[in-house]
């Protein structure tokens, strides 16, 4: 269940550096190599990164994908419940992984008639951003899909 591959393989602890323990898994069936790290101080364990070094993880704030060149994509869905029709409502989005600098953000309301919703956001930080939304037709809750493009290193 905690294996990066459906085939058997060899798991090695290949060393530690900068308060990290690094594990390497070599799949026997296809020879693919996977790595992950564990922070010694916090005990947090990263997801398995495949041979191309791409790491994908999901937590309570959404999903993130980290690429070896430093590019990071974060995405998720939140539910926003307006206080009333035609009243701006705010919600803070915490990114599932911290970005360096200011990520680019895109939002989409998932409602039957998108003309009834106005969406904007505050200046994003590496940790998250605030959504400001107004729904003209009702005060019913609705999901908002979001995606953030930035850098993790």
């Amino acid at each position: 269940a905690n294996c990066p591959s459906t085939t058997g393989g060899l798991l090695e602890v290949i060393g530690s550096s900068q308060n990290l323990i690094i594990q390497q898994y070599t799949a026997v069936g296809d020879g693919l190599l996977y790595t992950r790290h564990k922070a010694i101080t916090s005990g947090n364990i990263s997801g398995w990164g495949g041979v191309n070094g791409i790491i994908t993880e999901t937590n309570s704030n959404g999903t993130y994908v980290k690429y070896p060149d430093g590019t990071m994509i974060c995405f998720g869905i939140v539910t926003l419940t307006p206080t009333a029709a035609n009243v701006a409502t705010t919600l803070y989005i915490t990114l599932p992984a911290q970005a360096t600098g200011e990520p680019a953000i895109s939002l989409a309301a998932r409602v039957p008639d998108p003309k009834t919703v106005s969406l904007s956001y505050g200046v994003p930080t590496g940790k998250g951003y605030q959504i400001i939304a107004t729904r003209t037709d009702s005060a019913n809750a609705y999901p908002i899909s979001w995606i953030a493009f930035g850098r993790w290193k």
Side-chain angles (χ1 to χ4, degrees):
N2 194 16
C3 212
S5 173
T6 57
T7 66
L10 174 66
L11 178 64
E12 302 173 87
V13 176
I14 59 171
S16 63
S17 66
Q18 299 176 353
N19 296 322
L20 294 176
I21 296 173
I22 301 166
Q23 292 181 327
Q24 180 173 289
Y25 182 87
T26 306
V28 173
D30 52 20
L32 293 178
L33 181 67
Y34 301 85
T35 60
R36 72 177 178 179
H37 62 272
K38 178 178 180 181
I40 295 171
T41 53
S42 69
N44 292 335
I45 300 174
S46 74
W48 288 101
V51 291
N52 53 11
I54 298 172
I55 297 172
T56 302
E57 290 190 34
T58 299
N59 59 37
S60 61
N61 296 325
T63 300
Y64 65 87
V65 182
K66 291 181 176 179
Y67 294 90
D69 70 352
T71 301
M72 182 171 67
I73 302 171
C74 300
F75 56 93
I77 298 173
V78 294
T79 299
L80 191 128
T81 304
T83 52
N86 291 311
V87 174
T89 306
T90 61
L91 177 69
Y92 190 81
I93 301 293
T94 301
L95 296 175
Q98 186 164 343
T100 61
E102 200 176 285
I105 309 295
S106 180
L107 306 169
R110 299 171 64 185
V111 293
D113 183 1
K115 293 180 290 193
T116 63
V117 176
S118 168
L119 291 173
S120 61
Y121 58 88
V123 176
T125 68
K127 294 181 181 179
Y129 57 96
Q130 184 177 42
I131 293 175
I132 301 105
T134 304
R135 185 169 183 177
T136 59
D137 63 339
S138 76
N140 294 334
Y142 58 98
I144 296 173
S145 297
W146 61 269
I147 188 165
F149 297 91
R151 304 207 44 86
W152 64 274
K153 67 176 183 177

